Amino acid sequence: MSANDSRKRGKKRYVGGHNKRWKGSRELEVGMQGILITCNMNERKCTAEAFNLLNEYADKLYGPEKFQDNNGSSSDEEDAEEEDVDVALKKEVAQLQASGAKQERRFQAMDSGANNVIFIKTHNLESDKLVHHILSDLHTTKKKKSRVILRMLPVTGTCKAFQDDMVKYLTTFLEPWFKTPNCATYQIAFKARNSSHNKRDEIIKSVAGLVGKLNPKNKVDLTNPDLTIIVEVIKAVCCLSVVKDYTLYRKYNVQEVVKEDTPKPDVTTAKTDSNTAEEKEKHDAEETNKEEEKGEEDGDKTAPQDDKEVDKAEGDAE
């Protein structure tokens, strides 16, 4: 091998490693529950922020995370002076197996399969209630607690991202909210990433048809619905949840929800102010969508690492 070839191969290896996306230890797959979190570049910082934010509020709701003690048995058992030999051997084997097994954490970062989207797998908690609690507090306090996180979407169900599989899964999944005697106004929020075989209009039509069959009193409301059905497709996995206050909490955008609400208009200028508020909300929604789309298009570029680049990403997200 010539020196020239060696230099070319070395450069190729360096460039390939430089542009490689960071990935978690595992990937999002069917059967998981958790939280989809979007960001504007810098997935590493987004993951760190997500862990801090989720643990802060999870500790308040569920208490500090507890870890199993694999070092031994209880104090009463340790104090026992006489014990059957067979029982002691079985106990020791059980302890060795327990210490060797990997303990599942409350939050685990997974590779989502899409640029600028991370998936946090949850264990022994309800992700929809946790996310709603976070957004409710941020909406009330108006205290900004993240820099690069954009949206936090709970995932309470997953299935294969093919229309027949989705319809079959949703038939049962939607029952707690929409099956008679339950009924509600609703909207459907659909987005597909790295998936070309699912057509937006076809999926929305199928889901709406299912909701109508569960109870004819369920009605579509695109302005201020009681519930929002979130359908997020990433590659071959469909992530689902049914959430409330989707409009109030700015499509579950943690950057937008901390902004001050538009003041109530006077009666004399109600119509003008109403139009202005609607235009502002529409503008904010369009800006958010542009940021996410821009982030996905630029996903293969190097994510900002220094403070200046992070501050720029924060400014774009806002």
Side-chain angles (χ1 to χ4, degrees):
M1 181 184 296
S2 65
N4 209 22
D5 292 338
S6 178
R7 284 196 298 271
K8 287 182 179 179
R9 189 178 68 170
K11 183 178 181 181
K12 184 177 180 181
R13 284 180 176 179
Y14 173 77
V15 172
H18 185 68
N19 290 331
K20 187 175 181 181
R21 288 181 65 243
W22 173 80
K23 294 185 177 181
S25 58
R26 291 184 58 191
E27 294 185 354
L28 168 64
E29 58 187 28
V30 173
M32 290 184 177
Q33 294 186 359
I35 303 168
L36 276 177
I37 301 177
T38 66
C39 62
N40 186 15
M41 307 292 287
N42 205 338
E43 293 178 24
R44 284 183 180 273
K45 184 168 182 61
C46 178
T47 303
E49 282 189 359
F51 277 129
N52 290 335
L53 193 61
L54 292 172
N55 278 309
E56 175 186 346
Y57 285 92
D59 286 349
K60 295 177 181 178
L61 283 179
Y62 308 104
E65 187 173 10
K66 296 180 180 179
F67 301 96
Q68 183 179 356
D69 184 10
N70 294 324
N71 295 327
S73 53
S74 65
S75 58
D76 292 339
E77 291 171 332
E78 289 174 351
D79 293 338
E81 296 179 357
E82 296 182 359
E83 190 175 46
D84 185 83
V85 177
D86 292 336
V87 175
L89 288 174
K90 289 179 180 179
K91 185 185 296 183
E92 185 175 355
V93 170
Q95 290 173 2
L96 290 173
Q97 291 175 343
S99 62
K102 185 177 180 180
Q103 187 173 354
E104 190 167 7
R105 299 294 302 272
R106 183 157 61 185
F107 301 113
Q108 298 179 66
M110 302 285 169
D111 177 35
S112 69
N115 291 327
N116 301 309
V117 182
I118 65 173
F119 180 75
I120 303 295
K121 180 183 176 184
T122 57
H123 179 64
N124 286 340
L125 59 84
E126 296 171 289
S127 60
D128 53 342
K129 291 184 178 180
L130 175 60
V131 172
H132 187 273
H133 179 71
I134 293 172
L135 290 163
S136 176
D137 185 65
L138 295 178
H139 181 263
T140 302
T141 62
K142 300 299 180 184
K143 184 178 180 181
K144 187 174 181 179
K145 294 191 175 183
S146 65
R147 303 178 67 186
V148 298
I149 293 175
L150 293 179
R151 301 172 70 201
M152 300 182 72
L153 303 174
V155 177
T156 55
T158 49
C159 64
K160 294 181 179 179
F162 298 96
Q163 189 165 346
D164 291 342
D165 295 282
M166 293 165 64
V167 170
K168 182 179 179 181
Y169 184 84
L170 282 165
T171 301
T172 304
F173 179 78
L174 296 174
E175 287 183 354
W177 297 276
F178 299 105
K179 187 177 181 179
T180 307
N182 298 323
C183 68
T185 58
Y186 71 96
Q187 67 175 347
I188 301 168
F190 173 85
K191 186 172 182 63
R193 296 178 173 89
N194 297 340
S195 175
S196 59
H197 58 273
N198 285 303
K199 304 301 180 183
R200 174 187 175 86
D201 293 341
E202 292 179 2
I203 297 299
I204 291 178
K205 185 177 180 180
S206 298
V207 176
L210 282 175
V211 176
K213 289 180 180 178
L214 290 173
N215 189 341
K217 292 183 179 180
N218 295 318
K219 301 297 180 183
V220 174
D221 183 350
L222 303 180
T223 304
N224 189 27
D226 299 325
L227 301 170
T228 297
I229 304 171
I230 295 177
V231 183
E232 291 272 339
V233 174
I234 302 180
K235 290 186 175 180
V237 180
C238 177
C239 301
L240 302 161
S241 63
V242 178
V243 301
K244 56 184 179 179
D245 298 322
Y246 188 70
T247 304
L248 176 64
Y249 296 154
R250 308 293 185 88
K251 298 183 177 180
Y252 279 34
N253 187 312
V254 299
Q255 303 297 333
E256 296 293 329
V257 78
V258 297
K259 295 181 180 179
E260 292 297 332
D261 297 328
T262 305
K264 294 182 179 181
D266 296 332
V267 177
T268 55
T269 59
K271 186 175 181 180
T272 302
D273 290 347
S274 176
N275 291 336
T276 303
E278 289 178 0
E279 290 175 1
K280 183 180 183 302
E281 184 176 350
K282 182 178 180 181
H283 174 73
D284 291 341
E286 290 175 351
E287 288 299 317
T288 298
N289 291 335
K290 286 179 182 179
E291 289 296 336
E292 291 188 359
E293 290 173 1
K294 177 180 180 299
E296 291 174 10
E297 291 174 358
D298 297 340
D300 293 333
K301 297 178 182 179
T302 304
Q305 297 298 331
D306 58 22
D307 291 337
K308 293 182 179 179
E309 290 176 310
V310 169
D311 291 338
K312 182 178 183 301
E314 178 193 359
D316 293 339
E318 295 179 4

